[in-house]
Structure formats: C-alpha cells, structure tokens
C-alpha cells in the first residue's frame, strides 16, 4: 500500500508556468510547457526512525520506498519494478550474496561501485527502473511512447539497453562521433532491435542537447507522438538515483545520525541532484563534492556564483564533456526556495548567451551543501595509476576525476568543516574501466576485458549520420543551421517510425486510443448518443494531417487481412432500382457495417449518391452494450476521405518513384479528395484531367491550378493516360475507359476508385489480366463488385489462395498463361509502413510493371475513419457535443 493517508505527488515547473501535473504525465514528457524542468510541488521529509528501518533493506527495496513517495504506484508495484531492475546489476557477485552496488574501502575513502549494470555505467541505475516504469504506465493504457535522447557516452547505451525489449517504447539516440569511447559507441550501434534508432552526429553533446530542446519545444509534436526524455531532464531519473545515496549512507551509518559525504563525477548534474534530493528528504549528508573535468560549468557556478557555458572541450572522461548542465535549473529552484521568477531570469540569460548571476542567498544555500573541483586530464590519468598501484583497484577516468578531487587539500578542508565527513566519504564509481581502453592505455594500465564487451566487436553496426547542412539550407547558418537540421531529421525519424508501427499494429490497436464505452450491466441506462453535424465534422477532419488518415485506414486494412475484422456483405440499392425513383441513371445507396475484434465499437455507414450529389451518415455503437454512441451526419465526407486515403496508401506502397504525371479520368468529388490525399505521398504535381463533359474537366483543372497543381485537360481518356505513372479512375462507368495498350511498357499504378457495384467497369478486362500485381482491398468484395469481377467471371484471374500466389490460371479463354500476383493491401502494410518500401512486401518492385489497385470500399475503412473522426470531435468539442 501507499503510506497511510498519502495522496499521489503532483509536480510543477521550475519556471512557474505549469503546476498540478501527475507523475505519469511527468514520466511521459520532457520539458514542462514553459521550458522548465518538473519538480515535486513538495518534498517528503523522512524521520530518523523511517531511515533506520530502511538500513537493513537491499537497494531495490530502498528504491521502491522512495518511488512510492513520488508516484501513484503501490509499494508492491514499486518493489516489483525496482527489485527486477537492480537484479540486472553485479551478476557475478549476486550468487555469493554481494550487493548490487558493492561498497568497498580504499584508504580513507569508500567506493560505491555503480558500474556493474547491463552497460557498465551508473546510468543503468536510473534507466533500468525508468524503462520498466515506462512499460508499466504505457502498457496499462495501451499506448506507445518515443524516447528521444542524446548522450555524451553512458546515457545512450544505458537507455537503449533498458528499453530495447520493451513492447511499448521506441528510442532515438544521438551520440557525437569521436567524442565517446569505442566501447560506448559499440554498445549503441550494435543493438539489433526494431525499436532502436541511433544517430551519429558531427558535433558535440551541447549541440545535441540544443537540437533536442528545439524538438521538445513543439508541444503538438510532443503530444501527437508521445515523445519522452530519458535523460536526467526526466524527474524519474533523479528520483531513482537518490536511492543509492540513501542505501550507501545507511550502510555506513545505519543509525542515521552522522553525516556522510559524497564525491560525484559531474556532467549534467543529474547524479549530484539525486544526492541533493536525498539530503532535502532528511538523509544526513554533510557535503556533496562535484568533481568536473575541463568542462567545468558546475565548478564555476559553485565557486564563483556565475553560470556560463564555456567551450566544449574533449577530454579523457567523455561522458562529462558537457557545458549545458541542465539540472542546475533544479538546483536553483530548490536553493532559492522555489523562486520561479529567479529561475526564469537565470534561464533566460543563459538561453540568450549571457551568464546567469546567482543571488547571494541562493549561492549561500548551494554552498551549504556543495563544493567543487575541476580536474585536468593529466591528474585524471595519474589518479588511475595511483589507485591501481596503491590498492590494486582499476577505476575508469570519470571515477578517477572524483577520487582526485576527494584527495585535494581544498576538498579535504571542506569535508572537515562542521563534521561533514564524520560518517565517512563515499566516491561514486560511475563506469567500468573496460569501457575506456584508450584512457587505460594512456595511463599505462592494462586493458580490462569483459566478455560481453568483447562480443560487441564482432557484431554488425547500425546508425544514421547527422552532419552539418549544406550552406544556405537552414536560415542562420553555422551551429544554428546544424541544430535545426538535426532536430528536423530526428522529427522525421519519429514520424516515420510511428507510421510504420501504426501500419503493422495489431488489430485491437485500431481502436485503442478511443475509450468510448465501458461495459454496462444489462439494466444500466445508456447515455444518449453524441450527434455531430457536417460542419463540425468537416472542421475537425480539416485539422487532421492526411498522413494520420492514411495511417488509420492502413491499420484497418491490416486488421481486415489478418482476420481480426467482421464485415457482412454490403447491402445496395443500386442501378437500376434507385434510378427508378431518383431520376439519376448512376444513382446508388448502400449500407456497410463492420467491427474490429476487441474494439469498443462497431460502425454502420449509410451512403447515397449519383450525378455528382452525395450524402450519408455513420452510426457508432458500443460492442459492450450495443447502445448507440454517436451519430456522424457527415454528408458523405468521411466516405470520401477514407476512399482517398486508401488510394493514397496504395500510391505510397506501389507508385513509381517518379510518376511523371497523374492521369485523372472523372471529375467528381472523389477526384478532388484523391488528389489532395495523393499530395501527401508523392511529390508529383502534374495532372492531366479528362471527363465526358469538357466543361467539368476545365473547371477541375482551373481549381487544381489555383491550388498549385500543373493541371491540363485531355481530349480523350487515352491522352490522359499517356505518360502517366499514376492513373486515377473515379467514375461510375460500366464500360471500359482504360485500354491495355495505353498503360503497357512502363511502370504504372492504376487506382480504380470509382463506385463499386455489380457490373462496374472502368478498366478493360485485359488490363486486370495483364497486371504484374493486382492489389485488392477485399478479395471477396472485388470478386463481386470490383474491377476484378470481369476477369474472375472469365476464369482468367483467381483471387483466392494464399498471400502472393502466382501461377497459371486454371482454365478460361486462351489457354494457360501467367496470372497477376494477387494481394490484399492489408497484407502489405504490416511490412511496408515505410513510404519507401518496395512493393509493400508484395515481392514486386514498385519501379517496374503494371499495378492495379481495385478499391471497393471495404467496411473496415468506415470503422477506421469513424473512430478517428469521433476521437478528434470529442477532443475538440468536449461535453458540449451532447445535443
């Protein structure tokens, strides 16, 4: 249980612009909305009795008791997470009962070895716990998050190792080329996991941090892609890292009544911030020594009272090569007693390139806990040699920075003041020397071999390059241009990964983001349905990027083709029955229904139209209660959008990379929607339009030119098809418009989008028979209502059978011959969510041959678009939507 009477902790920004934020939101975010860092609205204070009770616990259980104070999880949940995380540490010593983080003595100092985790760095402490927290919170809500992180060497490998096997997380990691150790680099670039993307940058860690801050400053991007930071920007890292300060101090002073001091190798100040949190919570810490290398922004802040970023210098301790120590912002907040105005002023100065001067009371409060020391590379290497010679202990260069600092006269004097070290001095060992072979060699020490590191040297390497942009590509030039380019490239990678994941998501994911209804008892009264009219629906859908609509439809197709959708046959009042009373030869009305197994809803669509007039509505029901949830009076808009999205999806998968032009046969409403959707997946803007009525073609071409298209009018269908790489047919024709010899001999994708019905025919049957690839939205519907129906009736094309079946037709006119490869589009999107996938996994090169997409409007498209629309409408309208 949580502590009796406890309420979940809420968080605020260090800059005062956001408050009342629950832990889950803090965990699943980066910076606060005003650019600040999240901190608790209050800090729990532990009594001496509580601390003494912790003295006999292992570090996992100590960590759990800290976590329960800052999260909304129970103690049992926290213990499950923390104990499992620390079980990954010190596997060789665990069998003999050694602690996860051994604490040993060398002379007057104690060494707390936090380097025995999966990647041999102290960052594993925070990352192993935070990775499990992310998977817990995301798993219970069915969501997916994207971690975007930059590293100076240790954070990246630890973060990747923590989440590489997580079901609900993808990670994108930046590291600077030549500025990490070889082993640190191998720990990132040899990971073979579909949810891991690594970028090697031509720059330094401060430029990487600026790129990510630029990315994180876009709230729409952060929210729509659930972008998370797992650097020590994230409060969860600080919370977890405080645990080893508690545990180690209580090993030396189980009565919790004497001061213990810590020496901490310091870069971004996250490690030291964990110690400061422990002290603020009541742990007897006398002094925290921040030991820096030549990148000494923290040392200068503490010793001079001025925070100012310097030049980033390459050292033998690369994980500390940082001049933007972002956790100093949290220190300022706490040391100034929560003065958010002072924090804003200081951060504004730094953001504008000016130094931030600390107020005397704030500086005094900082110095009451902290002292500091900057250490040269020569002193670092000498310390590595001295510790090995004197104590037969090998330490890495970062830890050597701390040990050197602890031995200086100035630090020893600070520790002696007011009994700061009466309970002992602990140096935190932050990494294993095996990760820094070059530094060991420079120190004259033998390389420290570790089997799991040796194995990395033989694995293939995977990474993307981030370089400086060509001159003039980004406004401002220089470092600003580089940062802007990096941010844009990482954004693109996140968006592409989300599209690919969405296209291959399990069927249930189609509806997972839409909590429409919970199970009700049979006697419970259902609330009245939400009712939305056409204008509200149009406004809502106008705010949805075409890529999101395409992705929603793609998920629906994937669910359909994998057998996770129930769709009854369409019911149609078509030609001629409707024509008898509508007066329109092409008039038609249809009813389509469907649902995804495990989804909360099922959807019924009613549509009618003819002679350029369209209408319709969609009804959304609960699968749990069968109660009506919503009525979408869309007037046919949603049908047009989901049809256009299907065509765009086919183009994304199968269109030639350089289609030359798009030939359009038909000038109805769907032609307009289809072209606007195609603009999201192809750069081609040349359009040749044909219609039976020349005036309609001229009007459409003029409309397209006003939107930026290079639109011309063709006198014949053949002229429209000539040289087109994409041919779009959007007519209700019952006689062929496209002949085979018009589309042979070059890569062509035909999007047969016209109204589906028995007898419908826009393509000559020979076009279907000669296709290299025939892509169907539904085998069953295309055989009965699509372009394929005529070839199926002739026996020249077989639609059934396993995915990708090829071979001779089983009979029919003209003897045995090759039939098209036949696939459902939903069989392709699970392996080709990427817009550059060749053939969508169909085995056909998109750059060669004739591809026909036969679209009949399978009802799962209506399910997908209705749920997407309702999700957006509810978010926009809230409770006022109930009419």
């Amino acid at each position: 249980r949580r502590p009796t009477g406890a309420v979940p902790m809420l968080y605020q920004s260090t800059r005062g612009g956001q408050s009342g934020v629950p832990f889950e939101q803090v965990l699943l975010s980066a910076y606060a909305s005003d650019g600040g860092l999240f901190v608790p609205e209050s800090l729990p204070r532990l009594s001496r009795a509580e601390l003494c009770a912790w003295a006999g616990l292992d570090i996992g259980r100590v960590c759990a008791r800290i976590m329960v104070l800052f999260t909304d999880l129970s103690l049992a949940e926290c213990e499950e997470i923390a104990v499992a995380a620390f079980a990954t540490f010190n596997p060789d010593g665990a069998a003999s009962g050694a602690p996860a983080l051994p604490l040993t003595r060398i002379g007057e100092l104690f060494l707390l070895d936090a380097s025995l985790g999966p990647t041999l760095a102290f960052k594993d402490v925070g990352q192993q716990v935070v990775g499990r927290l992310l998977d817990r919170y995301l798993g219970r809500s069915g969501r997916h998050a994207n971690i975007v992180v930059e590293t100076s060497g240790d954070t990246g490998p630890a973060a990747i190792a923590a989440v590489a096997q997580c079901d609900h997380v993808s990670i994108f990691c930046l590291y600077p080329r030549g500025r990490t150790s070889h082993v640190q680099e191998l720990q990132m670039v040899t990971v073979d996991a579909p949810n891991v993307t690594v970028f090697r940058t031509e720059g330094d860690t401060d430029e990487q941090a600026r790129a990510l801050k630029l990315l994180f400053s876009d709230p729409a991007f952060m929210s729509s892609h659930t972008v998370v930071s797992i650097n020590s920007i994230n409060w969860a890292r600080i919370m977890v890292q405080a645990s080893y300060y508690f545990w180690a101090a209580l090993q030396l002073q189980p009565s919790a009544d004497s001061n213990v001091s810590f020496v901490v190798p310091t870069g971004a100040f996250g490690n030291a911030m964990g110690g400061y949190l422990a002290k603020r919570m009541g742990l007897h810490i006398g002094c925290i020594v921040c030991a820096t290398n030549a990148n000494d922004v923290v040392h200068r802040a503490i010793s001079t009272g001025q925070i100012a970023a310097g030049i980033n210098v390459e050292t033998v301790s690369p994980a500390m090569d940082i001049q933007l120590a972002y956790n100093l912002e949290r220190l300022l907040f706490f040391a100034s007693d929560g003065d958010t105005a002072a924090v804003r002023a200081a951060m504004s100065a730094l953001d504008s390139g000016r130094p931030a001067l600390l107020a005397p009371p704030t500086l005094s409060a900082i110095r009451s806990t902290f002292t500091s020391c900057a250490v040269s590379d020569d002193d670092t290497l000498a310390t590595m040699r001295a510790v090995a010679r004197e104590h037969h202990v090998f330490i890495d260069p970062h830890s050597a920075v701390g040990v050197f600092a602890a031995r200086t006269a100035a630090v020893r004097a600070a520790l002696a003041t007011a009994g700061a070290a009466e309970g002992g001095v602990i140096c935190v060992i932050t990494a294993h020397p095996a990760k820094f072979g070059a530094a060991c060699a420079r120190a004259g020490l033998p390389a420290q071999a570790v089997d799991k590191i040796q194995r990395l040297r033989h694995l293939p390497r995977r990474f993307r390059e981030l370089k400086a942009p060509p001159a003039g590509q980004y406004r401002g030039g220089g470092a600003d241009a580089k940062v802007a380019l990096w941010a844009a490239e990482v954004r693109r990678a996140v968006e592409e990964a989300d599209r690919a994941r969405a296209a291959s998501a399990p069927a249930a994911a189609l509806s997972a983001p839409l909590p429409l209804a919970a199970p009700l008892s049979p006697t419970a009264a259902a609330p009245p349905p939400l009712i939305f009219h056409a204008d509200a629906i149009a406004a809502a859908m106008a705010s949805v990027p075409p890529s999101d609509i395409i992705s929603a439809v793609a998920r629906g197709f994937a669910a359909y083709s994998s057998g996770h959708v129930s769709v009854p046959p369409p019911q149609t009042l078509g030609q001629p029955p409707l024509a008898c009373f509508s007066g329109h030869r092409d008039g038609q009305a249809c009813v389509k229904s469907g649902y995804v197994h495990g989804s909360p809803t099922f959807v019924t669509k009613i549509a009618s139209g003819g002679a350029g007039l369209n209408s319709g509505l969609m009804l959304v029901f609960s699968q749990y209660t069968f109660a009506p949830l919503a009525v979408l009076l869309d007037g046919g808009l949603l049908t047009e959008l989901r049809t256009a999205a299907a065509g765009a999806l086919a183009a994304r998968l199968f269109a030639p990379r350089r289609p030359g032009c798009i030939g359009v046969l038909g000038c109805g409403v769907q032609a307009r929607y289809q072209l606007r959707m195609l603009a999201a997946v192809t750069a081609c803007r040349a359009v040749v339009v044909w219609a039976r009525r020349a005036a309609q073609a001229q009007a459409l071409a003029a409309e397209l030119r006003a939107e930026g298209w290079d639109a011309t009018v063709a006198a014949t269908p053949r002229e429209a098809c000539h040289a087109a790489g994409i041919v779009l047919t959007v007519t209700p024709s019952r006689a062929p418009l496209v002949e085979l010899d018009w589309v042979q001999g070059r890569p062509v994708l035909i999007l047969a989008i016209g109204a589906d019905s028995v007898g419908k025919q826009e393509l000559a049957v020979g076009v279907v028979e000669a296709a290299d690839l025939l892509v169907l939205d539904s085998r069953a519907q295309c055989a009965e209502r699509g372009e394929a129906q005529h070839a199926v009736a002739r026996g020249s094309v077989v639609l059934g059978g396993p995915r990708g079946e090829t071979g001779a037709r089983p009979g029919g006119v003209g003897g045995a011959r090759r039939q098209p490869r036949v696939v459902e589009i939903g069989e392709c999107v699970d392996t080709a969510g990427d817009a550059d996938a060749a053939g969508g996994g169909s085995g056909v090169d998109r750059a060669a041959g004739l591809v026909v997409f036969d679209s009949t409007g399978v009802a799962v498209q209506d399910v997908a678009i209705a749920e997407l629309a309702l999700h957006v409408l509810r978010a926009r309208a809230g409770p006022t939507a109930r009419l």
Side-chain angles (χ1 to χ4, degrees):
R1 294 190 305 116
R2 293 183 54 77
T4 302
V7 295
M9 179 69 73
L10 295 177
Y11 293 80
Q12 67 179 80
S13 169
T14 51
R15 303 186 189 182
Q18 196 172 3
S19 61
V21 181
F23 174 77
E24 182 174 2
Q25 183 176 338
V26 171
L27 176 69
L28 298 175
S29 64
Y31 292 94
S33 59
D34 60 356
L37 301 180
F38 284 115
V39 290
E41 291 190 347
S42 62
L43 288 179
R45 185 79 179 176
L46 299 170
S47 67
R48 181 184 170 195
E50 288 173 305
L51 291 173
C52 290
W54 292 6
L57 300 177
D58 61 50
I59 190 169
R61 288 173 172 79
V62 170
C63 181
R65 281 153 178 79
I66 297 168
M67 291 166 60
V68 81
L69 300 173
F70 292 99
T71 71
D72 57 1
L73 300 177
S74 68
L75 179 58
E77 290 175 301
C78 292
E79 283 195 344
E80 178 187 350
I81 291 169
V83 170
F86 282 101
T88 65
F89 283 74
N90 194 17
D92 294 336
S96 60
L101 277 59
L103 186 63
T104 58
R105 186 165 191 161
I106 61 164
E108 297 179 350
L109 301 176
F110 291 88
L111 302 183
L112 176 65
D113 194 350
S115 73
L116 301 179
T119 68
L120 305 180
F122 89 95
K123 301 290 178 69
D124 288 319
V125 174
Q127 306 293 29
Q128 285 293 316
V129 175
V130 172
R132 287 170 169 80
L133 280 170
L134 287 170
D135 223 31
R136 174 66 59 96
Y137 278 96
L138 292 167
R140 72 186 190 184
S141 61
R143 290 183 292 167
H144 188 93
N146 294 295
I147 294 171
V148 179
V149 65
E150 62 87 18
T151 184
S152 55
D154 281 333
T155 293
I160 290 170
V163 305
Q165 304 305 320
C166 289
D167 295 330
H168 304 284
V169 180
S170 297
I171 186 167
F172 303 82
C173 180
L174 287 68
Y175 77 94
R177 179 178 184 176
R179 299 291 295 269
T180 68
S181 77
H182 182 55
V183 171
Q184 288 173 320
E185 182 174 32
L186 288 177
Q187 288 177 322
M188 292 180 277
V189 301
T190 59
V191 176
D192 183 12
N195 63 332
V196 175
T197 302
V198 176
F199 295 93
R200 187 171 73 179
T201 69
E202 297 287 348
D204 60 44
T205 55
D206 293 328
E207 290 173 319
Q208 292 176 170
R210 288 172 53 211
L212 295 201
K213 188 156 190 177
L214 179 62
L215 192 69
F216 294 163
S217 66
D218 182 345
F221 171 75
M222 296 290 288
S223 174
S224 61
H225 295 281
T226 315
V227 177
V228 178
S229 168
I230 203 168
N231 288 90
S232 55
I233 293 171
N234 197 313
W235 174 260
R237 278 273 307 276
I238 307 300
M239 167 189 76
V240 173
Q241 287 168 186
S243 64
Y244 53 75
Y245 289 90
F246 280 100
W247 180 83
L250 291 171
Q251 301 312 296
L252 298 188
Q253 297 295 325
S255 58
D257 57 357
S258 296
N259 284 331
V260 176
S261 289
F262 289 84
V263 184
V264 185
T266 301
F269 198 72
N271 195 347
M273 189 64 211
Y276 188 54
L277 173 62
K279 179 171 182 176
R280 294 290 296 242
M281 291 174 64
L283 184 64
H284 283 269
I285 292 180
C287 183
I288 299 175
V289 181
C290 292
T292 75
N293 59 23
N295 297 285
D296 59 350
V297 61
V298 173
H299 168 59
R300 288 184 284 109
I302 295 171
S303 59
T304 70
Q306 178 176 287
I307 305 175
I311 302 299
N312 194 295
V313 179
E314 187 173 353
T315 73
V316 296
S317 47
M320 294 155 54
D321 290 351
I322 294 170
Q323 288 285 350
L324 298 175
Y326 34 78
N327 270 291
L328 284 176
E329 181 167 345
R330 286 190 171 110
L331 176 63
L332 292 184
F333 175 85
F334 288 115
S336 66
D337 290 328
D339 187 343
T340 56
V343 174
R344 282 197 307 275
M347 293 303 107
S348 175
L350 291 174
D351 288 343
S352 63
R354 296 179 287 110
L357 301 178
L358 304 182
T362 300
L363 182 59
S364 177
I366 290 172
R367 289 175 174 171
S368 69
T369 295
F370 293 94
T371 191
S372 62
C373 178
V375 181
S376 70
D377 278 358
D378 288 343
D379 288 333
T380 299
L381 298 172
T383 302
M384 294 171 67
R385 287 192 297 270
V387 172
R389 182 181 63 251
E390 297 166 10
H391 304 286
H392 306 290
V393 173
F394 294 94
I395 58 175
D396 77 288
H398 307 79
S399 304
V401 169
V403 172
F404 177 88
R407 292 177 166 183
T408 62
V411 169
R412 289 166 64 91
L415 293 174
T417 303
E422 61 187 1
V425 178
I426 298 174
C427 291
V428 180
I429 301 298
T430 57
H432 195 287
K435 299 183 71 172
F436 303 96
C440 288
R442 288 183 60 181
L445 300 175
Q448 303 299 298
V450 176
D451 287 345
K452 62 182 176 182
I453 287 179
Q454 295 302 110
R455 289 193 292 270
L456 298 179
R457 303 181 191 277
H458 307 289
L459 297 177
R461 301 167 192 188
R462 303 168 179 84
F463 60 88
R464 303 184 189 181
E465 294 272 14
L466 290 181
K467 299 183 178 181
Q473 180 173 342
Y474 280 81
R475 184 179 302 172
D480 289 339
K482 183 193 293 186
V483 165
L485 173 66
W486 292 359
E489 289 295 324
V490 175
R491 174 195 295 268
R492 186 176 298 113
V494 172
E495 292 171 341
E496 289 174 353
D498 268 0
R499 285 195 294 268
R501 182 184 56 80
S504 62
L510 177 63
S511 305
L514 191 61
L516 291 174
L520 298 176
S521 67
T523 59
L530 303 174
I531 301 176
F532 296 97
H533 290 273
D535 54 351
I537 297 170
M541 296 309 293
S543 71
V544 181
S547 59
D548 288 357
I549 301 174
I550 296 168
S551 293
V553 171
R555 293 195 298 272
F557 281 135
Y560 178 80
S561 293
S562 60
H564 295 290
V565 175
S566 290
V567 175
Q571 296 175 288
T572 303
L573 287 173
Q575 310 95 337
L578 190 62
C580 293
F581 59 84
S582 70
H584 298 303
R585 179 175 61 85
D586 297 325
Q588 178 174 295
C590 70
V591 179
K592 296 182 179 180
S593 301
Y595 65 88
V596 179
H597 303 166
S599 161
T601 69
F602 68 86
V603 174
T604 294
K605 188 274 296 288
I606 305 170
S608 61
L613 303 174
N614 295 285
S615 185
L617 59 86
M618 292 189 179
L619 307 174
V620 184
F621 298 86
S622 168
Q623 282 196 44
Y624 299 127
T625 66
F626 311 110
L629 300 174
V631 180
L632 305 176
L633 301 169
D634 67 304
L637 168 66
L638 296 178
T639 297
E640 302 290 358
L641 287 175
R642 59 80 153 156
T643 303
L649 175 63
R652 192 180 80 181
L653 297 173
F654 305 112
R657 297 189 187 281
R658 294 178 178 83
C661 70
I662 302 171
V664 181
L665 278 62
C667 291
V669 174
Q670 180 53 219
R672 292 160 169 81
Y673 282 105
Q674 186 66 75
L675 287 169
R676 289 162 185 161
M677 199 71 74
L678 284 173
V681 298
T682 177
C684 180
R685 294 296 180 271
V687 179
V688 182
V689 180
W690 173 85
R692 287 189 174 92
R693 297 179 179 88
Q696 291 180 342
Q698 293 287 357
L700 175 58
E703 184 180 329
L704 292 173
R705 285 193 291 269
E707 295 180 9
W709 294 81
D710 179 12
T712 58
V713 175
T716 65
R718 180 171 191 156
E719 183 181 339
C721 294
H722 176 68
I726 300 174
V727 174
L728 171 63
T729 64
V730 287
T731 76
S733 178
R734 302 170 71 81
L737 296 175
V738 179
E739 297 294 341
L740 177 58
D741 61 343
W742 304 351
V743 290
Q744 276 188 314
R746 67 180 191 277
V748 180
L749 168 65
I750 299 177
L751 302 175
I753 305 294
D756 61 291
S757 64
V758 175
K760 172 248 188 173
Q761 187 176 23
E762 296 178 290
L763 314 180
V765 67
V767 174
V768 175
E769 293 172 338
D772 295 286
L773 178 66
L774 179 57
V775 184
L776 315 173
D777 60 0
S778 162
R779 282 186 171 88
Q781 285 190 194
C782 288
E784 179 184 345
R785 309 166 61 84
E787 287 296 328
Q789 62 182 292
H790 307 286
V792 170
R794 284 166 51 128
S796 56
V797 171
V798 177
L799 304 187
R803 175 181 177 176
E805 177 180 319
T806 58
R809 60 187 176 92
V813 180
R817 51 174 285 185
R818 180 191 63 83
Q819 79 147 22
R821 178 180 288 263
V822 178
V823 295
E824 283 185 349
I825 194 168
E827 295 169 352
C828 303
V829 292
D830 59 344
T831 56
D834 191 325
D836 292 329
S842 62
V844 174
D845 187 344
R846 67 189 296 166
L850 174 61
V851 181
V852 174
F853 175 51
D854 193 358
S855 172
T856 61
V858 65
V860 73
Q861 297 171 248
D862 300 311
V863 176
I865 196 71
E867 291 193 347
L868 176 62
L870 189 51
H871 182 73
V872 177
L873 286 161
R874 287 165 59 98
R876 288 167 61 93
T880 62
R882 191 175 304 285
L883 305 180

